Amino acid sequence: MEILELPPSKILSFQEVQKSTEFNESRTISPNFGFTKNVYWVRFELKNNSNQRDWFIHVSYPLLDKIDFYESKDKDWNHVVTGDSYLFRERPLEEKSFIFPIKLLPKKNNTYYFRFESEGTVQFPITVYSHERFLKLKEKENLSLGIYYGILFVLVIYNLILLFMLKDFGYLYYLLYISFYGLSQSVLNGLAFQIFWPNSPHWANISLPFVGGFSLFWGLQFTRSFLNTKKNTPTWDKIILVLMGLMLLLMLSSFVFSYYINIYLLASLVMLFAIVVFLVAVVCWDKGYKPARYFLIAWVALLFGVGIYSLKGFGILPANIVTEYGLQAGSAIEMCLLSLGLAYKIKLVNSDKNKAERRMVAYKAKLQDAKLVSSRLEVELLKNNIHPHFLLNSINSTIIWLDEDPETAKLLLTSLSDELRAILKLSNKKTIPIKEEVEICKRYLEIMSLRKESKFEFLTEGIGLKDVIPPIVLLTLVENGVTHGYQGKNAGSFVLKKKKEKNKTKYILFNDGLPTTKSDSLGTGIKYIKSRLQEAFPNKWEFTSRFVMGGWENTIIVFE
């Protein structure tokens, strides 16, 4: 094979090419010049040493824009024009690559010329086949393509079912990625032009950068979702977003700029895409993210195919079966492994979810138990505060005073009614202003003063309008103080003080009564107080109750 390379500005006629002495013998079996706008003339001679006369000349690269074929025939030249810039039906044979039928008589020889021009990669692997040999080749090729696209089809259906079942967006990104990746592969091997748009050569030329860019876009989004880059590696996540933006620009560029520029950009972005995704997977794996292992192993298979195909596109590697179909083989392995990795990730997520649900169930059970304890304490407290003896004694006192002192009886009933109403109204709230609680305590002391014919008072120091406390807490302390601290006394005093320190506030309730016996109700009351303080100020409180000089002191501390 001899090759004549011409710049696009130098146009020669076929007759001039025939006379040219600048042809050079090809150094490779499958010449590959990468991305170039140069025009290439090819000349070779065939001699038929067999008894067959019908042959096929096969140019297996399907993305060549324009091919001129010249065959010597009866002292004239038969000229055939084809390429993916022409309608598919105009090809000598309707085949995804380029087939040129020739007749060469036994023991004869003939000279053939090709002219190749393309805005993408210029490569022209040329093989001569007998009809029988070519049919066997197509059988193997169709089988390989059938297996490849069959795998993609199964993966699409499988993941589509999982998407509807699990409602996980990771499967949607994966579906879009493998669908458009499969379509881009069909553009590369010529099937898309043959099957989907045989009458649209313009779209056939711009479809590769558009579909390829869209495939890479969803591949990057799948990477973000699968590796959770927003959480695991925020810096790389931003880099991926920038790369996704470049993919969208490439898609728009396919409608604006020439195919030469777009295909060069696509090849560059494919290489950048492969490097970035590989590095992100390594970083996530290094940080202990388990699903990254599957992702990295799967990506190594694709990287191998992408690398050799891109190097072939740039003309660094020759065009052969490995560089031509390595990308499809690598992508098939990668997609299968990614599907397994996605299932593994969902398994891990479900495992973590199940553990969290079990912890939540245990927490809810403990919380329910705590609420039941709190409710029982509250009921016990209300039973204590609205004890039948308390009501009966108050009513009996009222009956006696109805005859002796109607005004006192009326006052007792009014105070008792206000007290019960306030307790029932406020007991369900988490916190109330301390001043409201103080009013409840004062009404209670009014009732006890009338009943015991004693005088109890409640004083405050430093209490502000914004100070809050759980309801019935102070009343519990006052009720226990009156019941158990003033036996044999006809007067008593309760004083509530507020002390503000650096990061805490103290509420000190002092009474001058001295309990003489241990009370079960006091123990229940303290449990109630502690449960309400924990509810209102979780883990930010302290409560103490102790004997001091001249009486009893209860201290509630609230931390900021």
Side-chain angles (χ1 to χ4, degrees):
M1 183 188 295
E2 295 178 307
I3 300 175
L4 173 63
E5 182 176 0
L6 299 175
S9 58
K10 188 175 182 180
I11 302 174
L12 297 180
S13 66
F14 178 57
Q15 289 74 21
E16 290 173 323
V17 169
Q18 286 180 286
K19 298 176 183 178
S20 175
T21 59
E22 297 180 6
F23 275 92
N24 296 305
E25 187 175 347
S26 176
R27 297 178 181 179
T28 62
I29 296 176
S30 299
N32 179 16
F33 296 94
F35 296 105
T36 178
K37 289 187 176 181
N38 290 343
V39 175
Y40 293 87
W41 284 90
V42 174
R43 178 173 65 192
F44 57 88
E45 184 177 294
L46 296 180
K47 183 177 181 180
N48 187 3
N49 290 324
S50 73
N51 293 321
Q52 298 186 45
R53 60 174 61 197
D54 294 316
W55 301 85
F56 288 139
I57 297 179
H58 181 208
V59 180
S60 59
Y61 185 60
L63 299 182
L64 293 166
D65 291 346
K66 186 176 181 180
I67 303 174
D68 292 86
F69 174 65
Y70 295 87
E71 177 188 12
S72 176
K73 193 172 185 180
D74 298 330
K75 298 182 180 181
D76 198 3
W77 290 92
N78 182 33
H79 181 202
V80 177
V81 180
T82 188
D84 68 0
S85 296
Y86 300 90
L87 295 176
F88 192 83
R89 64 173 178 268
E90 294 179 0
R91 298 188 177 192
L93 288 179
E94 293 192 10
E95 166 63 30
K96 63 182 183 63
S97 50
F98 303 102
I99 309 296
F100 300 92
I102 61 171
K103 287 186 178 294
L104 185 57
L105 298 176
K107 311 305 178 183
K108 297 291 183 180
N109 61 334
N110 201 359
T111 302
Y112 302 90
Y113 284 84
F114 276 103
R115 180 183 181 276
F116 297 105
E117 181 181 357
S118 187
E119 288 190 333
T121 300
V122 177
Q123 54 181 286
F124 34 89
I126 300 174
T127 313
V128 181
Y129 292 103
S130 65
H131 286 197
E132 182 181 359
R133 185 70 178 272
F134 181 74
L135 289 176
K136 290 181 179 179
L137 170 73
K138 295 307 299 179
E139 285 179 2
K140 294 179 180 179
E141 186 181 280
N142 290 337
L143 177 62
S144 301
L145 291 174
I147 292 173
Y148 177 75
Y149 289 106
I151 291 172
L152 259 64
F153 181 75
V154 170
L155 287 175
V156 167
I157 299 300
Y158 171 69
N159 287 280
L160 186 63
I161 294 172
L162 290 179
L163 172 64
F164 284 112
M165 290 177 61
L166 301 177
K167 303 293 190 295
D168 187 288
F169 277 104
Y171 285 100
L172 175 61
Y173 303 143
Y174 181 68
L175 269 174
L176 292 170
Y177 167 57
I178 62 176
S179 298
F180 282 99
Y181 190 91
L183 183 59
S184 67
Q185 289 299 304
S186 70
V187 175
L188 282 172
N189 58 38
L191 280 175
F193 190 25
Q194 180 181 6
I195 297 172
F196 299 124
W197 42 80
N199 298 319
S200 302
H202 176 68
W203 172 246
N205 272 281
I206 67 173
S207 60
L208 182 57
F210 180 87
V211 175
F214 209 31
S215 168
L216 297 178
F217 175 87
W218 289 115
L220 289 168
Q221 179 59 29
F222 172 71
T223 301
R224 294 183 68 230
S225 172
F226 188 94
L227 298 178
N228 197 8
T229 54
K230 191 173 183 180
K231 177 182 178 181
N232 293 326
T233 172
T235 301
W236 280 103
D237 184 69
K238 293 176 182 177
I239 295 174
I240 291 176
L241 287 173
V242 171
L243 196 54
M244 290 174 68
L246 293 177
M247 298 304 175
L248 293 176
L249 289 175
L250 173 63
M251 293 168 62
L252 295 175
S253 172
S254 63
F255 295 98
V256 178
F257 298 106
S258 67
Y259 179 78
Y260 177 80
I261 294 175
N262 291 321
I263 201 64
Y264 201 94
L265 289 175
L266 175 62
S268 302
L269 288 176
V270 165
M271 295 291 286
L272 188 60
F273 164 84
I275 294 170
V276 168
V277 170
F278 179 78
L279 292 177
V280 170
V282 171
V283 171
C284 291
W285 191 1
D286 184 60
K287 289 187 175 183
Y289 188 63
K290 292 182 179 179
R293 293 179 298 176
Y294 276 92
F295 189 88
L296 189 60
I297 294 170
W299 220 257
V300 167
L302 180 65
L303 283 178
F304 177 76
V306 168
I308 62 174
Y309 191 85
S310 296
L311 292 174
K312 184 203 74 169
F314 284 106
I316 299 173
L317 292 179
N320 52 46
I321 190 170
V322 176
T323 57
E324 190 69 32
Y325 294 102
L327 179 58
Q328 293 182 0
S331 64
I333 296 171
E334 178 246 8
M335 289 176 185
C336 292
L337 291 176
L338 280 184
S339 186
L340 293 175
L342 197 55
Y344 175 70
K345 180 190 174 186
I346 297 298
K347 179 182 177 182
L348 284 181
V349 171
N350 288 335
S351 177
D352 293 340
K353 182 180 178 182
N354 291 336
K355 290 179 181 178
E357 286 177 350
R358 286 195 294 270
R359 288 196 297 267
M360 182 59 68
V361 169
Y363 170 77
K364 286 182 177 180
K366 291 180 180 179
L367 182 63
Q368 186 65 26
D369 291 341
K371 286 183 176 180
L372 289 173
V373 171
S374 178
S375 299
R376 287 196 296 270
L377 288 171
E378 188 169 358
V379 171
E380 291 295 327
L381 179 68
L382 290 174
K383 284 168 63 181
N384 184 59
N385 282 321
I386 314 175
H387 198 279
H389 291 296
F390 171 73
L391 291 173
L392 289 173
N393 290 336
S394 299
I395 293 171
N396 288 334
S397 298
T398 304
I399 293 172
I400 293 171
W401 284 327
L402 281 173
D403 293 330
E404 299 178 359
D405 189 351
E407 289 299 323
T408 300
K410 181 179 178 181
L411 182 61
L412 178 60
L413 285 173
T414 302
S415 298
L416 180 61
S417 174
D418 291 341
E419 175 76 359
L420 296 176
R421 188 181 297 110
I423 291 174
L424 294 173
K425 178 181 178 182
L426 300 176
S427 61
N428 288 327
K429 294 184 178 181
K430 185 177 290 186
T431 59
I432 62 171
I434 290 183
K435 288 189 174 293
E436 290 188 22
E437 179 84 353
V438 169
E439 292 301 317
I440 295 174
C441 294
K442 287 182 177 180
R443 280 195 290 269
Y444 174 80
L445 292 176
E446 287 176 6
I447 296 171
M448 299 309 295
S449 296
L450 292 171
R451 275 184 48 193
K452 292 178 176 284
E453 296 185 8
S454 303
K455 183 171 179 58
F456 293 102
E457 62 178 355
F458 195 104
L459 304 175
T460 60
E461 294 181 14
I463 302 299
L465 295 174
K466 295 184 178 180
D467 293 311
V468 295
I469 200 166
I472 321 301
V473 167
L474 295 180
L475 176 61
T476 302
L477 298 173
V478 170
E479 191 273 339
N480 279 293
V482 171
T483 303
H484 305 289
Y486 291 94
Q487 296 178 6
K489 295 184 178 182
N490 57 5
S493 177
F494 290 81
V495 181
L496 177 64
K497 296 181 181 180
K498 172 187 174 183
K499 289 186 179 180
K500 180 72 174 176
E501 298 182 6
K502 286 184 180 180
N503 63 336
K504 59 186 178 181
T505 304
K506 290 184 178 180
Y507 299 101
I508 303 170
L509 179 62
F510 170 82
N511 69 77
D512 55 4
L514 294 173
T516 57
T517 59
K518 184 177 179 181
S519 169
D520 291 337
S521 63
L522 182 62
T524 303
I526 289 176
K527 290 179 182 178
Y528 170 78
I529 290 169
K530 290 182 177 180
S531 68
R532 293 308 295 260
L533 287 172
Q534 176 64 19
E535 181 184 8
F537 314 109
N539 301 321
K540 292 185 177 182
W541 61 274
E542 286 182 4
F543 173 77
T544 59
S545 184
R546 64 192 181 112
F547 169 79
V548 294
M549 184 66 67
W552 196 267
E553 184 180 87
N554 300 285
T555 304
I556 297 173
I557 302 176
V558 178
F559 296 94
E560 295 180 357

